[in-house]
Amino acid sequence: MSIEYPELFEPIQIGQVTIKNRYMLAPMGPAGLCDALGGFNQRGVEFYVERAKGGAGMIMPGVTKVENEIERCQLPAMPCPTVHPGHFIQTARPMNERIHAYQAKSFLQLSAGFGRVGMPGFIKTPPVAPSAIPHRWVKGVTCRALSIDEIHTYIEKFAQSAEIAKKAGFDGVEIHAVHEGYLLDQFAIAMFNQREDEYGGSLVNRLRFACEIVAAIKARCGTDYPVSLRYSLKSFIKDWCDGALPGEEFVEKGRDIEEGIEAAKILVSAGYDALNVDVGCYDAWYWNHPPMYQPEGLYLPYSEILKKEVNVPIITAGRMDNPELARQAIVSGQTDMVGLGRPLLADSDLPNKVMQGNKASVRPCLSCQEGCMGRLEHFTQLGCAVNPQAARESDYVLHPSLQSKQILIVGGGVAGLECARVSALRGHKVTVCEASDQLGGVVIAGGMPEFKADDHKLLRWYQGQLKELHVTIELNTRLTAAEIIARKADEVILATGSIAKTLPIASDQPILLATDVLLGNTQVKESVAIVGAGLVGCELALWLSQHQHQVYLIESAAAPLALSGPLCDANQDMLLALIKYQSNIEVLSQSQLLRASQSAIVVQTQKGEREIACQSLVAAIGYNSDNHLYQQLRTEIANLHLIGDARQVQNIMYAIWDGFEVARTL
């Protein structure tokens, strides 16, 4: 069998270390994968080993603090080798031995910490920075400038941590980071670094911290011990806490490309053996953690610049799961290695499946950041929206059922599809009955905007999986309670979804539903009013504006997305910025729709009533659970389960997780 993308499976060297292919598990925040003594817990071990088993040539556990005194973080949010070196080695060395069994290499990402970007409640000491500058998240808080002695302590801790990592079996380390506006990057950027000593002023001085770190590691671990650097070529900062959008004209206040090239040359000359490249900063977070609103391969133009300027391997992540895109990037000289973070959360076997010519079976990442960045941010727990087993591999092992049952699933949205998939994997005979003519539920409509195309990829993946597992699909089958009882299934799963709410007002024009507009079941006119600025309303507004409609977004709360469930800040900030940036979207917050004629609407705003010429009126005010069958059957069928939106209206992640949880125990 010939390999379809052979360039992705050619070996590559970083320093003296040979890596078997061009795929790397990109470093991610390891919350939930480590323990209170600074080592890795069993979840972490299984997580990283699973990605090595899945074919990634390099495994890189992310954001490992080198000290926990100057900037004290709440453990076990991150590993820290210097807290208890013996324990760190005891947990990491067996993990690396298992990783090596799959011919993969492992680099440990060592971090100076957060500085001004430390999350509130996560950092247990007053925030530090190069200078007395404003905190990123907490208004009115000024960071404390690090002393020279503290900088020297950091450098020594980096050297100690690298030495411990080497003893623990790591093949190299990566320094985190002259990247994303973390503490080392704050030293490198003049906007943040206002020092007048040898660590401030000129670019060479601002990079001195990072250069002395690699020198100290090489002195301690040997010149042949490879050290990579997480590096952002450009910052995209318009001002404090204000980032630029793709294509936006602005004056760069962070690191621009010209300085980024010069800095990269200085850092490589100092001894760094590879650059793991992106762009962005915490002030423009949606660059470093790209939502679905960013294009695939968004960092490639920037890594290509560095490929021409420095002579070390370049690693590029950022929505790089498309193997054709990744292959072409390597062939054309845009990068040398492909970093996959979120895609290897969604499917740990992605490299193996691509190598085996089975890319259609790769479970797609949605770039929703609900289970990864969102849960890290809000619950300090790494996960994945589409893969409930991610970071819980040992806890959520699927075991064959001792008894094969007849499983009836009513509803073919993602909750029902996941339940069907897992039930069939465990040996049950599964039938899915869907009232409409296609599988997917509300995700069909949700995936209509071009920036949500991965939602439809997920539905195609489910269809392929269920076909392989011989799940019986009955479309155009709306079952009554009596018909469900008559089927005499051993287990009945109700995944009947939800019903869109409509507007309780008098209107002389039709009140359209967001779902119907997205599906093209109804056409909107040039000027559109959308009532409801939650996630559905905001994404619909953005999509319609991109298709040249004038959009009025009406929201009773103080701001768009104010009443939505917690989103990853990168997704929320970019969506809000895009809405603000579109000249043909007007947001009316703290406003109420009063009435509508055929050609206009009247809105109660903070300034009084306002009439707006508008030919289309769309309701995007949420959904109600459709649990009427459950209410009829809950005392009639013993083994009855209610999952997904039918249980509680939430999002794709919780629908999939519901389906998985119920099916794994049937």
Side-chain angles (χ1 to χ4, degrees):
M1 180 189 72
S2 61
I3 298 173
E4 186 176 358
Y5 304 101
E7 296 85 356
L8 296 175
F9 298 95
E10 289 292 326
I12 187 172
Q13 277 194 277
I14 295 181
Q16 299 302 309
V17 173
T18 300
I19 299 156
K20 69 175 181 178
N21 63 35
R22 305 304 178 95
Y23 278 121
M24 178 187 81
L25 171 65
M28 294 174 283
L33 306 181
C34 36
D35 61 34
L37 293 178
F40 295 96
N41 61 22
Q42 196 59 38
R43 272 192 179 184
V45 171
E46 299 301 331
F47 173 80
Y48 294 117
V49 170
E50 188 71 19
R51 273 72 201 164
K53 178 184 173 185
M58 184 199 289
I59 303 299
M60 188 178 288
V63 200
T64 299
K65 280 184 67 66
V66 298
E67 69 84 42
N68 202 41
E69 294 296 332
I70 297 171
E71 182 188 74
R72 183 181 290 274
C73 293
Q74 181 176 319
L75 299 182
M78 292 176 290
C80 183
T82 58
V83 168
H84 196 311
H87 175 75
F88 183 86
I89 293 169
Q90 289 168 3
T91 61
R93 186 157 189 96
M95 176 180 77
N96 283 319
E97 289 165 349
R98 293 177 64 190
I99 287 170
H100 291 151
Y102 296 100
Q103 297 179 274
K105 304 297 184 184
S106 60
F107 278 40
L108 181 66
Q109 189 184 68
L110 300 175
S111 178
F114 296 83
R116 69 177 282 265
V117 302
M119 294 287 184
F122 181 65
I123 305 299
K124 297 304 179 184
T125 50
V128 297
S131 310
I133 56 175
H135 195 271
R136 166 64 176 92
W137 305 108
V138 186
K139 292 182 180 179
V141 171
T142 300
C143 300
R144 173 181 70 79
L146 285 175
S147 69
I148 289 181
D149 284 345
E150 288 174 321
I151 294 171
H152 292 166
T153 297
Y154 265 113
I155 294 167
E156 172 61 21
K157 291 290 186 179
F158 268 102
Q160 290 176 14
S161 295
E163 185 176 35
I164 295 166
K166 188 175 182 181
K167 289 180 180 178
F170 286 98
D171 301 287
V173 293
E174 177 168 281
I175 304 309
H176 177 268
V178 183
H179 145 87
E180 198 176 346
Y182 284 95
L183 184 58
L184 275 183
D185 204 22
Q186 292 159 39
F187 272 84
I189 294 174
M191 177 182 180
F192 304 133
N193 186 342
Q194 300 156 14
R195 302 176 74 97
E196 297 179 355
D197 56 23
E198 63 265 40
Y199 292 98
S202 68
L203 179 61
V204 170
N205 279 358
R206 285 183 273 122
L207 294 173
R208 187 181 303 277
F209 195 172
C211 291
E212 290 181 347
I213 286 169
V214 69
I217 291 173
K218 295 284 188 176
R220 185 73 62 91
C221 298
T223 56
D224 60 346
Y225 193 62
V227 183
S228 173
L229 178 70
R230 191 80 168 101
Y231 183 66
S232 297
L233 177 65
K234 180 176 172 59
S235 303
F236 281 92
I237 300 174
K238 292 193 293 186
D239 209 338
W240 298 93
C241 306
D242 190 9
L245 289 166
E248 184 177 1
E249 292 186 8
F250 71 104
V251 176
E252 177 66 77
K253 291 195 174 182
R255 181 165 49 250
D256 61 20
I257 290 176
E258 183 179 358
E259 183 178 86
I261 293 170
E262 185 181 355
K265 291 178 178 178
I266 293 170
L267 292 161
V268 169
S269 296
Y272 285 102
D273 299 292
L275 297 179
N276 184 1
V277 176
D278 69 355
V279 295
C281 190
Y282 264 82
D283 301 80
W285 214 22
Y286 37 76
W287 285 99
N288 303 99
H289 303 280
M292 68 282 287
Y293 316 117
Q294 291 274 25
E296 289 185 340
L298 70 157
Y299 304 142
L300 288 174
Y302 306 98
S303 61
E304 183 177 17
I305 291 170
L306 287 177
K307 270 283 293 175
K308 297 174 182 177
E309 299 289 346
V310 297
N311 61 352
V312 296
I314 301 297
I315 307 167
T316 310
R319 306 201 69 199
M320 289 289 292
D321 46 329
N322 180 336
E324 179 55 40
L325 173 70
R327 185 198 72 86
Q328 188 58 39
I330 290 171
V331 170
S332 64
Q334 291 180 291
T335 192
D336 297 299
M337 287 192 73
V338 175
L340 299 177
R342 297 171 299 174
L344 289 185
L345 288 174
D347 196 328
S348 60
D349 288 328
L350 186 154
N352 282 343
K353 289 177 178 178
V354 171
M355 189 175 189
Q356 295 159 2
N358 195 19
K359 63 183 180 182
S361 70
V362 173
R363 177 166 30 194
C365 167
L366 305 184
S367 297
C368 65
Q369 309 208 86
E370 289 285 349
C372 47
M373 281 304 302
R375 285 183 73 81
L376 276 174
E377 205 179 333
H378 296 287
F379 309 117
T380 62
Q381 174 67 62
L382 185 67
C384 177
V386 299
N387 179 11
Q389 291 171 290
R392 298 185 284 197
E393 283 78 11
S394 56
D395 298 336
Y396 278 10
V397 173
L398 292 178
H399 299 286
S401 177
L402 296 176
Q403 175 189 0
S404 180
K405 296 181 178 180
Q406 295 285 343
I407 309 292
L408 174 62
I409 299 175
V410 183
V414 290
L417 298 180
E418 176 69 1
C419 193
R421 182 187 74 89
V422 175
S423 297
L425 279 171
R426 297 186 58 238
H428 297 304
K429 294 172 182 167
V430 184
T431 299
V432 177
C433 293
E434 164 58 37
S436 72
D437 61 356
Q438 57 184 320
L439 299 173
V442 295
V443 177
I444 301 170
M448 292 304 295
E450 292 80 1
F451 51 80
K452 296 291 286 292
D454 286 332
D455 286 14
H456 285 180
K457 285 185 185 178
L458 178 66
L459 297 183
R460 290 194 293 273
W461 178 80
Y462 271 120
Q463 290 164 8
Q465 292 293 299
L466 299 191
K467 183 178 180 180
E468 284 188 14
L469 292 166
H470 305 292
V471 171
T472 300
I473 306 294
E474 297 181 16
L475 299 176
N476 299 305
T477 304
R478 185 180 296 277
L479 297 180
T480 65
E483 289 169 333
I484 292 171
I485 293 170
R487 295 238 178 174
K488 297 182 179 180
D490 297 310
E491 305 275 353
V492 175
I493 317 295
L494 298 181
T496 44
S498 57
I499 300 171
K501 299 177 184 177
T502 190
L503 297 172
I505 65 158
S507 174
D508 292 334
Q509 63 172 284
I511 298 174
L512 311 176
L513 297 177
T515 301
D516 289 329
V517 174
L518 287 162
L519 290 173
N521 294 337
T522 184
Q523 298 298 313
V524 294
K525 304 294 178 60
E526 181 180 344
S527 180
V528 184
I530 300 172
V531 181
L535 185 60
V536 173
C538 286
E539 289 188 340
L540 177 60
L542 177 61
W543 184 54
L544 290 175
S545 75
Q546 292 172 342
H547 288 267
Q548 311 310 313
H549 292 275
Q550 172 64 46
V551 181
Y552 299 93
L553 191 54
I554 303 165
E555 173 57 51
S556 59
L561 300 178
L563 301 180
S564 294
L567 300 172
C568 169
D569 274 330
N571 290 49
Q572 178 165 306
D573 289 354
M574 186 167 190
L575 181 54
L576 291 174
L578 286 167
I579 287 172
K580 183 178 180 180
Y581 186 62
Q582 301 294 319
S583 60
N584 55 344
I585 299 179
E586 182 180 350
V587 177
L588 290 81
S589 297
Q590 294 183 292
S591 299
Q592 298 282 346
L593 177 66
L594 298 178
R595 54 189 178 275
S597 66
Q598 290 185 350
S599 59
I601 60 171
V602 177
V603 180
Q604 180 67 51
T605 73
Q606 291 179 289
K607 296 180 180 180
E609 289 190 10
R610 176 182 168 187
E611 184 172 281
I612 300 171
C614 171
Q615 298 84 43
S616 293
L617 177 60
V618 182
I621 56 174
Y623 298 82
N624 289 317
S625 294
D626 183 1
N627 59 14
H628 73 283
L629 283 174
Y630 178 78
Q631 298 302 331
Q632 296 174 40
L633 293 170
R634 62 190 181 87
T635 59
E636 302 296 324
I637 296 177
N639 296 326
L640 182 69
H641 310 270
L642 185 68
I643 63 172
D645 278 4
R647 181 183 67 82
Q648 182 179 352
V649 176
Q650 295 186 87
N651 57 25
I652 288 178
M653 179 176 77
Y654 288 112
I656 290 173
W657 286 16
D658 263 17
F660 180 91
E661 176 59 32
V662 169
R664 77 184 185 94
T665 59
L666 291 178

